[in-house]
Amino acid sequence: EERLKNTGNRPIHTQHYYHNVLCFDADPIGHALSLSLPWNPIIHRITSNHGAFDGRVLRLFQETLGGTFYATIGGFSPESRENRLVVDGGCGSSLVIESDQSLEAFAIFANQNAFCPEGFIRLEIPPGQEKKWITTYTIIPAPKRPSGGSMP
């Protein structure tokens, strides 16, 4: 749970974003990784040709990302709290990111070392008030491999 209290005498009008820096098994970021969105993305800006959306899923093109990928994305409803993101690390593990707040903006940054999905929420806090929000991260581990014996 996060919170921000306005102890001043003027309202706070700001954006907060959850900055996620992800890597899986220390593997370089590349085509094995994907990001699934719960909404149909509308690309506002993209700075490279290293990846594209296939429906609601972002796929990177190179085995190891050469250079950087950055995109700003819309398509979500500002009133909706449907912002459950699933990052598949390509190693069998994945990460689910959920927030109890509506998104105002969304961006993705990636390079060969990190994948960074960033959700932005609006904070409007009157003087003397406090705003609380929750961002939940759930790791879904890779299935355990059987021990012993030989592989077929």
Side-chain angles (χ1 to χ4, degrees), residues 39-96:
W39 68 86
N40 292 316
I42 298 170
I43 306 301
H44 294 300
R45 179 177 160 212
I46 193 163
T47 61
S48 74
N49 60 355
H50 296 304
F53 276 90
D54 179 7
R56 295 179 175 188
V57 179
L58 172 66
R59 303 205 185 278
L60 300 173
F61 298 139
Q62 298 167 315
E63 183 174 347
T64 298
L65 195 60
T68 60
F69 174 88
Y70 182 78
T72 55
I73 299 162
F76 49 85
S77 168
E79 297 82 37
S80 173
R81 296 227 166 115
E82 188 177 307
N83 51 22
R84 181 179 195 264
L85 313 174
V86 180
V87 182
D88 180 344
C91 59
S93 296
S94 57
L95 176 68
V96 178

Side-chain angles (χ1 to χ4, degrees), residues 103-136:
L103 290 175
E104 182 175 74
F106 188 75
I108 301 166
F109 170 83
N111 64 25
Q112 72 179 30
N113 300 311
F115 183 78
C116 309
E118 301 170 340
F120 294 74
I121 62 172
R122 170 66 37 197
L123 298 177
E124 302 286 341
I125 309 168
Q129 299 294 310
E130 182 177 80
K131 173 73 174 181
K132 295 180 182 179
W133 65 97
I134 297 172
T135 303
T136 305

